[in-house]
Amino acid sequence: MSDPAILLVSAEHAAFLADEFGRYARDYDLRTAGSCAEALAVTEEIRAAGGTVALFVADTELPDAEVLAAFGAWRAVVPTARRIIAAHYEHFLPRAPSLRPGMAKGKYDAYLLMPRGVRDEEFHSAVTELLSDWGSTVAAPEVESVRIITPTADPLTLAIRDYADRMGMPTRVYSPDSEVGRAVIEEWGTEPTFPLIAALSRPPFVATSVRDLAISMYGMPGDLKVEGVVDLAIVGGGPAGLAAAVYGASEGLTTVVIEAEAIGGQAGTSSMIRNYLGFPRGVSGMRLAQRARNQALRFGTQFYTGWDVTALETQPDGTHLLGTGGGDVEARSVVVATGVAYRKLGIAPIEDLVGLGVFYGSAMTAAREMEGADVVVVGGGNSAGQAAIHLARFADSVTIMVRRDSLAATMSDYLINEIDYNPRITVQPCAEIADGGGDGRLEWLDVRDTTTGAVTRREARGLFLLLGAEPHCDWLPDSVARDRRGFVLTGRDVPSAHWDSGLPPENLATTLPGVFAVGDIRAGSMKRVAAATGEGSSVVPLVHAYLAPEG
């Protein structure tokens, strides 16, 4: 396959842009066009040759179309491409008021000042961010961290790929009779069962679960020895847990993070978070999580992935013992940041098709398999909106179904605007899934109108369920108070019977001394990434105060 293309579109400055983009010529096919129509013709030529466009870069002034209309025309042909306006300095400020609002509707990804000299790294940092995002969500990887050998695309293979993607490890699937497949099987040495995994130069192994990949990367829990009693053990590696790790370790606390699945939690599955402070072009959940993990590692945090915490016991000396399937961790304080799971739909024929067209969460890996399909997203929160926008890059149509009469009460305005603009996405209010099925994978859904009760059948090849939160804390002892839904109570939400001398616990403290709760698992928390990171950082002073009380 040919290199992905960068298409530079300008009537006056195409040659200048081509010179500025010369640094990308080794890895991308640089093309130029002088108009919207010419860019469409070049795009069709690239696609006819089996290639694709990774990035459109357009001047503000085009001779035959308004630039936002041009982006719409190009997106109709290559919906996965990223889009930049590179404004000449004469037009940058005058055109900004009319063009910048288009970013909020998802019409393009960045409004940049055209470089005015060599080594304009601010400009190119935006370009490389968008190309990196494109490469991680669309392109087949050039170098794979994980190779999966299997004759069929089954739910386990998809789950392994999704886990690897969330951990920032590029994957590729090979058939057993391919050159790579035969080489891995030969290294395995005997007739294998599938999927057979080769990861990061380690010996191949047969995977029976996602945990097998985690163990191959990080070792069995029992193999990982945590020496002595640590100051802070964080259970959960989502945004709240990662923030607590960064701030705890940076302030001198010996810190351990225990995560059962992939670093990043639910947020790690988000294709693009656009309202997180400091990322004007947005950031994928995976990249945000990996950057936070690397930041915590820099300060000395120990991460152990693939561990399920099964018990918490308080010892006579006041320290806490966290039990896992393969070893224990002793800690002077514990932060519970286990997050939540998506609530199950509970319709047996649909549950039987999980991984076969039915997915809980945004399942970024599965999105690539939805090319040309009709897809349904159930849920009205930000995660559902982000999933729908990402799926629309691949699927022919995306329907967001909600029981309410609109998205306004549950979804951020910027996502609603982007959804309204996207012609591939429709919102179906007052609707719920009644049934579904297919021959070996999802093919149809029955949809009930919640106002009339009428049921209609529709075709669907993908169903993505983002149905709301269920807590992940069954392993906590009864001494940690929870609300009727199972979320952990902290601060003034704790029943007064548990207050000490008439005073409630600290804001993020639970009813068990030395145990704190942050993020989605905490009763009353705001289910947003920024709120979770805020709580994760805010809990560290409370941990300090607990570990070193005033004399």
PDB file of all heavy atoms in Angstrom, residues 32-61:
ATOM      1  N   THR A  32      -0.322  18.538  -3.654  1.00  0.00           N
ATOM      2  CA  THR A  32      -0.833  19.899  -3.616  1.00  0.00           C
ATOM      3  C   THR A  32      -2.016  20.032  -4.564  1.00  0.00           C
ATOM      4  O   THR A  32      -2.168  19.264  -5.520  1.00  0.00           O
ATOM      5  CB  THR A  32       0.246  20.924  -4.008  1.00  0.00           C
ATOM      6  OG1 THR A  32       0.710  20.636  -5.328  1.00  0.00           O
ATOM      7  CG2 THR A  32       1.404  20.890  -3.023  1.00  0.00           C
ATOM      8  N   ALA A  33      -2.842  21.020  -4.274  1.00  0.00           N
ATOM      9  CA  ALA A  33      -3.978  21.352  -5.132  1.00  0.00           C
ATOM     10  C   ALA A  33      -4.267  22.836  -4.975  1.00  0.00           C
ATOM     11  O   ALA A  33      -3.989  23.421  -3.925  1.00  0.00           O
ATOM     12  CB  ALA A  33      -5.207  20.526  -4.759  1.00  0.00           C
ATOM     13  N   GLY A  34      -4.854  23.423  -6.040  1.00  0.00           N
ATOM     14  CA  GLY A  34      -5.099  24.855  -6.013  1.00  0.00           C
ATOM     15  C   GLY A  34      -6.528  25.238  -5.722  1.00  0.00           C
ATOM     16  O   GLY A  34      -6.832  26.428  -5.621  1.00  0.00           O
ATOM     17  N   SER A  35      -7.416  24.231  -5.597  1.00  0.00           N
ATOM     18  CA  SER A  35      -8.823  24.548  -5.383  1.00  0.00           C
ATOM     19  C   SER A  35      -9.511  23.364  -4.721  1.00  0.00           C
ATOM     20  O   SER A  35      -8.947  22.260  -4.638  1.00  0.00           O
ATOM     21  CB  SER A  35      -9.511  24.852  -6.715  1.00  0.00           C
ATOM     22  OG  SER A  35      -9.549  23.669  -7.520  1.00  0.00           O
ATOM     23  N   CYS A  36     -10.758  23.578  -4.296  1.00  0.00           N
ATOM     24  CA  CYS A  36     -11.539  22.490  -3.712  1.00  0.00           C
ATOM     25  C   CYS A  36     -11.747  21.370  -4.724  1.00  0.00           C
ATOM     26  O   CYS A  36     -11.565  20.194  -4.413  1.00  0.00           O
ATOM     27  CB  CYS A  36     -12.886  23.029  -3.231  1.00  0.00           C
ATOM     28  SG  CYS A  36     -14.030  21.759  -2.659  1.00  0.00           S
ATOM     29  N   ALA A  37     -12.127  21.737  -5.948  1.00  0.00           N
ATOM     30  CA  ALA A  37     -12.384  20.714  -6.969  1.00  0.00           C
ATOM     31  C   ALA A  37     -11.123  19.938  -7.306  1.00  0.00           C
ATOM     32  O   ALA A  37     -11.159  18.700  -7.473  1.00  0.00           O
ATOM     33  CB  ALA A  37     -12.958  21.382  -8.220  1.00  0.00           C
ATOM     34  N   GLU A  38     -10.004  20.630  -7.431  1.00  0.00           N
ATOM     35  CA  GLU A  38      -8.753  19.934  -7.736  1.00  0.00           C
ATOM     36  C   GLU A  38      -8.366  19.004  -6.592  1.00  0.00           C
ATOM     37  O   GLU A  38      -7.880  17.885  -6.818  1.00  0.00           O
ATOM     38  CB  GLU A  38      -7.638  20.949  -7.996  1.00  0.00           C
ATOM     39  CG  GLU A  38      -6.334  20.293  -8.466  1.00  0.00           C
ATOM     40  CD  GLU A  38      -5.228  21.303  -8.703  1.00  0.00           C
ATOM     41  OE1 GLU A  38      -5.507  22.526  -8.717  1.00  0.00           O
ATOM     42  OE2 GLU A  38      -4.066  20.857  -8.858  1.00  0.00           O
ATOM     43  N   ALA A  39      -8.601  19.440  -5.346  1.00  0.00           N
ATOM     44  CA  ALA A  39      -8.299  18.578  -4.200  1.00  0.00           C
ATOM     45  C   ALA A  39      -9.164  17.322  -4.217  1.00  0.00           C
ATOM     46  O   ALA A  39      -8.688  16.223  -3.897  1.00  0.00           O
ATOM     47  CB  ALA A  39      -8.515  19.348  -2.904  1.00  0.00           C
ATOM     48  N   LEU A  40     -10.436  17.465  -4.604  1.00  0.00           N
ATOM     49  CA  LEU A  40     -11.298  16.280  -4.722  1.00  0.00           C
ATOM     50  C   LEU A  40     -10.776  15.321  -5.787  1.00  0.00           C
ATOM     51  O   LEU A  40     -10.778  14.095  -5.592  1.00  0.00           O
ATOM     52  CB  LEU A  40     -12.729  16.706  -5.061  1.00  0.00           C
ATOM     53  CG  LEU A  40     -13.574  17.232  -3.908  1.00  0.00           C
ATOM     54  CD1 LEU A  40     -14.896  17.795  -4.432  1.00  0.00           C
ATOM     55  CD2 LEU A  40     -13.843  16.123  -2.890  1.00  0.00           C
ATOM     56  N   ALA A  41     -10.319  15.870  -6.904  1.00  0.00           N
ATOM     57  CA  ALA A  41      -9.782  15.027  -7.970  1.00  0.00           C
ATOM     58  C   ALA A  41      -8.519  14.296  -7.518  1.00  0.00           C
ATOM     59  O   ALA A  41      -8.339  13.098  -7.785  1.00  0.00           O
ATOM     60  CB  ALA A  41      -9.496  15.875  -9.210  1.00  0.00           C
ATOM     61  N   VAL A  42      -7.639  15.008  -6.807  1.00  0.00           N
ATOM     62  CA  VAL A  42      -6.425  14.372  -6.289  1.00  0.00           C
ATOM     63  C   VAL A  42      -6.770  13.291  -5.277  1.00  0.00           C
ATOM     64  O   VAL A  42      -6.173  12.199  -5.265  1.00  0.00           O
ATOM     65  CB  VAL A  42      -5.490  15.431  -5.660  1.00  0.00           C
ATOM     66  CG1 VAL A  42      -4.306  14.761  -4.969  1.00  0.00           C
ATOM     67  CG2 VAL A  42      -4.998  16.407  -6.727  1.00  0.00           C
ATOM     68  N   THR A  43      -7.761  13.570  -4.438  1.00  0.00           N
ATOM     69  CA  THR A  43      -8.187  12.582  -3.438  1.00  0.00           C
ATOM     70  C   THR A  43      -8.701  11.322  -4.109  1.00  0.00           C
ATOM     71  O   THR A  43      -8.365  10.200  -3.695  1.00  0.00           O
ATOM     72  CB  THR A  43      -9.280  13.185  -2.532  1.00  0.00           C
ATOM     73  OG1 THR A  43      -8.747  14.330  -1.864  1.00  0.00           O
ATOM     74  CG2 THR A  43      -9.752  12.177  -1.495  1.00  0.00           C
ATOM     75  N   GLU A  44      -9.517  11.471  -5.125  1.00  0.00           N
ATOM     76  CA  GLU A  44     -10.042  10.300  -5.836  1.00  0.00           C
ATOM     77  C   GLU A  44      -8.910   9.519  -6.512  1.00  0.00           C
ATOM     78  O   GLU A  44      -8.921   8.280  -6.550  1.00  0.00           O
ATOM     79  CB  GLU A  44     -11.083  10.728  -6.865  1.00  0.00           C
ATOM     80  CG  GLU A  44     -12.356  11.299  -6.263  1.00  0.00           C
ATOM     81  CD  GLU A  44     -13.177  10.243  -5.526  1.00  0.00           C
ATOM     82  OE1 GLU A  44     -12.770   9.075  -5.445  1.00  0.00           O
ATOM     83  OE2 GLU A  44     -14.251  10.611  -5.007  1.00  0.00           O
ATOM     84  N   GLU A  45      -7.937  10.219  -7.028  1.00  0.00           N
ATOM     85  CA  GLU A  45      -6.775   9.561  -7.644  1.00  0.00           C
ATOM     86  C   GLU A  45      -6.010   8.736  -6.599  1.00  0.00           C
ATOM     87  O   GLU A  45      -5.602   7.597  -6.857  1.00  0.00           O
ATOM     88  CB  GLU A  45      -5.863  10.625  -8.256  1.00  0.00           C
ATOM     89  CG  GLU A  45      -4.555  10.090  -8.844  1.00  0.00           C
ATOM     90  CD  GLU A  45      -3.618  11.211  -9.242  1.00  0.00           C
ATOM     91  OE1 GLU A  45      -4.097  12.301  -9.631  1.00  0.00           O
ATOM     92  OE2 GLU A  45      -2.383  11.009  -9.142  1.00  0.00           O
ATOM     93  N   ILE A  46      -5.822   9.303  -5.411  1.00  0.00           N
ATOM     94  CA  ILE A  46      -5.124   8.593  -4.332  1.00  0.00           C
ATOM     95  C   ILE A  46      -5.894   7.352  -3.923  1.00  0.00           C
ATOM     96  O   ILE A  46      -5.327   6.271  -3.761  1.00  0.00           O
ATOM     97  CB  ILE A  46      -4.921   9.541  -3.132  1.00  0.00           C
ATOM     98  CG1 ILE A  46      -3.925  10.647  -3.477  1.00  0.00           C
ATOM     99  CG2 ILE A  46      -4.449   8.765  -1.892  1.00  0.00           C
ATOM    100  CD1 ILE A  46      -3.888  11.777  -2.469  1.00  0.00           C
ATOM    101  N   ARG A  47      -7.201   7.496  -3.769  1.00  0.00           N
ATOM    102  CA  ARG A  47      -8.021   6.359  -3.343  1.00  0.00           C
ATOM    103  C   ARG A  47      -8.068   5.283  -4.411  1.00  0.00           C
ATOM    104  O   ARG A  47      -8.072   4.088  -4.109  1.00  0.00           O
ATOM    105  CB  ARG A  47      -9.436   6.836  -2.987  1.00  0.00           C
ATOM    106  CG  ARG A  47      -9.464   7.750  -1.768  1.00  0.00           C
ATOM    107  CD  ARG A  47     -10.857   8.271  -1.481  1.00  0.00           C
ATOM    108  NE  ARG A  47     -11.717   7.206  -0.955  1.00  0.00           N
ATOM    109  CZ  ARG A  47     -12.893   6.881  -1.443  1.00  0.00           C
ATOM    110  NH1 ARG A  47     -13.380   7.529  -2.495  1.00  0.00           N
ATOM    111  NH2 ARG A  47     -13.608   5.924  -0.889  1.00  0.00           N
ATOM    112  N   ALA A  48      -8.109   5.669  -5.676  1.00  0.00           N
ATOM    113  CA  ALA A  48      -8.133   4.686  -6.768  1.00  0.00           C
ATOM    114  C   ALA A  48      -6.859   3.859  -6.787  1.00  0.00           C
ATOM    115  O   ALA A  48      -6.880   2.687  -7.214  1.00  0.00           O
ATOM    116  CB  ALA A  48      -8.323   5.403  -8.104  1.00  0.00           C
ATOM    117  N   ALA A  49      -5.761   4.432  -6.311  1.00  0.00           N
ATOM    118  CA  ALA A  49      -4.486   3.713  -6.258  1.00  0.00           C
ATOM    119  C   ALA A  49      -4.339   2.903  -4.971  1.00  0.00           C
ATOM    120  O   ALA A  49      -3.279   2.323  -4.720  1.00  0.00           O
ATOM    121  CB  ALA A  49      -3.331   4.695  -6.391  1.00  0.00           C
ATOM    122  N   GLY A  50      -5.387   2.863  -4.146  1.00  0.00           N
ATOM    123  CA  GLY A  50      -5.343   2.088  -2.904  1.00  0.00           C
ATOM    124  C   GLY A  50      -4.827   2.851  -1.713  1.00  0.00           C
ATOM    125  O   GLY A  50      -4.594   2.267  -0.652  1.00  0.00           O
ATOM    126  N   GLY A  51      -4.652   4.158  -1.842  1.00  0.00           N
ATOM    127  CA  GLY A  51      -4.140   4.954  -0.741  1.00  0.00           C
ATOM    128  C   GLY A  51      -5.244   5.705  -0.024  1.00  0.00           C
ATOM    129  O   GLY A  51      -6.434   5.523  -0.279  1.00  0.00           O
ATOM    130  N   THR A  52      -4.842   6.582   0.873  1.00  0.00           N
ATOM    131  CA  THR A  52      -5.798   7.408   1.594  1.00  0.00           C
ATOM    132  C   THR A  52      -5.140   8.720   1.971  1.00  0.00           C
ATOM    133  O   THR A  52      -3.916   8.869   1.887  1.00  0.00           O
ATOM    134  CB  THR A  52      -6.318   6.693   2.856  1.00  0.00           C
ATOM    135  OG1 THR A  52      -7.426   7.429   3.396  1.00  0.00           O
ATOM    136  CG2 THR A  52      -5.227   6.591   3.917  1.00  0.00           C
ATOM    137  N   VAL A  53      -5.952   9.683   2.374  1.00  0.00           N
ATOM    138  CA  VAL A  53      -5.457  10.979   2.827  1.00  0.00           C
ATOM    139  C   VAL A  53      -5.502  11.001   4.349  1.00  0.00           C
ATOM    140  O   VAL A  53      -6.553  10.770   4.952  1.00  0.00           O
ATOM    141  CB  VAL A  53      -6.291  12.136   2.249  1.00  0.00           C
ATOM    142  CG1 VAL A  53      -5.780  13.474   2.773  1.00  0.00           C
ATOM    143  CG2 VAL A  53      -6.249  12.118   0.729  1.00  0.00           C
ATOM    144  N   ALA A  54      -4.354  11.254   4.961  1.00  0.00           N
ATOM    145  CA  ALA A  54      -4.296  11.354   6.417  1.00  0.00           C
ATOM    146  C   ALA A  54      -4.635  12.765   6.889  1.00  0.00           C
ATOM    147  O   ALA A  54      -5.228  12.932   7.958  1.00  0.00           O
ATOM    148  CB  ALA A  54      -2.907  10.971   6.922  1.00  0.00           C
ATOM    149  N   LEU A  55      -4.284  13.777   6.099  1.00  0.00           N
ATOM    150  CA  LEU A  55      -4.415  15.165   6.558  1.00  0.00           C
ATOM    151  C   LEU A  55      -4.680  16.087   5.383  1.00  0.00           C
ATOM    152  O   LEU A  55      -3.976  16.034   4.374  1.00  0.00           O
ATOM    153  CB  LEU A  55      -3.123  15.585   7.266  1.00  0.00           C
ATOM    154  CG  LEU A  55      -3.033  17.021   7.789  1.00  0.00           C
ATOM    155  CD1 LEU A  55      -4.018  17.245   8.919  1.00  0.00           C
ATOM    156  CD2 LEU A  55      -1.610  17.330   8.264  1.00  0.00           C
ATOM    157  N   PHE A  56      -5.731  16.910   5.515  1.00  0.00           N
ATOM    158  CA  PHE A  56      -5.969  18.018   4.597  1.00  0.00           C
ATOM    159  C   PHE A  56      -5.497  19.307   5.275  1.00  0.00           C
ATOM    160  O   PHE A  56      -5.876  19.590   6.416  1.00  0.00           O
ATOM    161  CB  PHE A  56      -7.455  18.162   4.280  1.00  0.00           C
ATOM    162  CG  PHE A  56      -8.015  17.085   3.394  1.00  0.00           C
ATOM    163  CD1 PHE A  56      -8.740  16.028   3.936  1.00  0.00           C
ATOM    164  CD2 PHE A  56      -7.842  17.126   2.022  1.00  0.00           C
ATOM    165  CE1 PHE A  56      -9.273  15.040   3.140  1.00  0.00           C
ATOM    166  CE2 PHE A  56      -8.371  16.131   1.203  1.00  0.00           C
ATOM    167  CZ  PHE A  56      -9.090  15.089   1.758  1.00  0.00           C
ATOM    168  N   VAL A  57      -4.695  20.097   4.562  1.00  0.00           N
ATOM    169  CA  VAL A  57      -4.253  21.403   5.046  1.00  0.00           C
ATOM    170  C   VAL A  57      -4.704  22.432   4.021  1.00  0.00           C
ATOM    171  O   VAL A  57      -4.276  22.390   2.864  1.00  0.00           O
ATOM    172  CB  VAL A  57      -2.722  21.462   5.223  1.00  0.00           C
ATOM    173  CG1 VAL A  57      -2.312  22.825   5.749  1.00  0.00           C
ATOM    174  CG2 VAL A  57      -2.249  20.346   6.145  1.00  0.00           C
ATOM    175  N   ALA A  58      -5.582  23.338   4.438  1.00  0.00           N
ATOM    176  CA  ALA A  58      -6.166  24.276   3.485  1.00  0.00           C
ATOM    177  C   ALA A  58      -5.912  25.710   3.886  1.00  0.00           C
ATOM    178  O   ALA A  58      -5.928  26.065   5.070  1.00  0.00           O
ATOM    179  CB  ALA A  58      -7.668  24.034   3.381  1.00  0.00           C
ATOM    180  N   ASP A  59      -5.708  26.558   2.894  1.00  0.00           N
ATOM    181  CA  ASP A  59      -5.653  28.003   3.077  1.00  0.00           C
ATOM    182  C   ASP A  59      -7.062  28.502   3.412  1.00  0.00           C
ATOM    183  O   ASP A  59      -8.062  27.822   3.155  1.00  0.00           O
ATOM    184  CB  ASP A  59      -5.159  28.635   1.773  1.00  0.00           C
ATOM    185  CG  ASP A  59      -4.619  30.031   1.957  1.00  0.00           C
ATOM    186  OD1 ASP A  59      -4.887  30.648   3.009  1.00  0.00           O
ATOM    187  OD2 ASP A  59      -3.938  30.514   1.038  1.00  0.00           O
ATOM    188  N   THR A  60      -7.150  29.690   3.979  1.00  0.00           N
ATOM    189  CA  THR A  60      -8.481  30.251   4.267  1.00  0.00           C
ATOM    190  C   THR A  60      -9.215  30.648   2.998  1.00  0.00           C
ATOM    191  O   THR A  60     -10.449  30.650   2.964  1.00  0.00           O
ATOM    192  CB  THR A  60      -8.352  31.490   5.168  1.00  0.00           C
ATOM    193  OG1 THR A  60      -7.472  32.435   4.541  1.00  0.00           O
ATOM    194  CG2 THR A  60      -7.832  31.115   6.545  1.00  0.00           C
ATOM    195  N   GLU A  61      -8.464  30.987   1.947  1.00  0.00           N
ATOM    196  CA  GLU A  61      -9.073  31.512   0.724  1.00  0.00           C
ATOM    197  C   GLU A  61      -8.902  30.503  -0.407  1.00  0.00           C
ATOM    198  O   GLU A  61      -7.781  30.216  -0.829  1.00  0.00           O
ATOM    199  CB  GLU A  61      -8.422  32.846   0.328  1.00  0.00           C
ATOM    200  CG  GLU A  61      -8.162  33.803   1.483  1.00  0.00           C
ATOM    201  CD  GLU A  61      -9.424  34.122   2.265  1.00  0.00           C
ATOM    202  OE1 GLU A  61     -10.449  34.450   1.643  1.00  0.00           O
ATOM    203  OE2 GLU A  61      -9.371  34.045   3.514  1.00  0.00           O
TER     204      GLU A  61
END
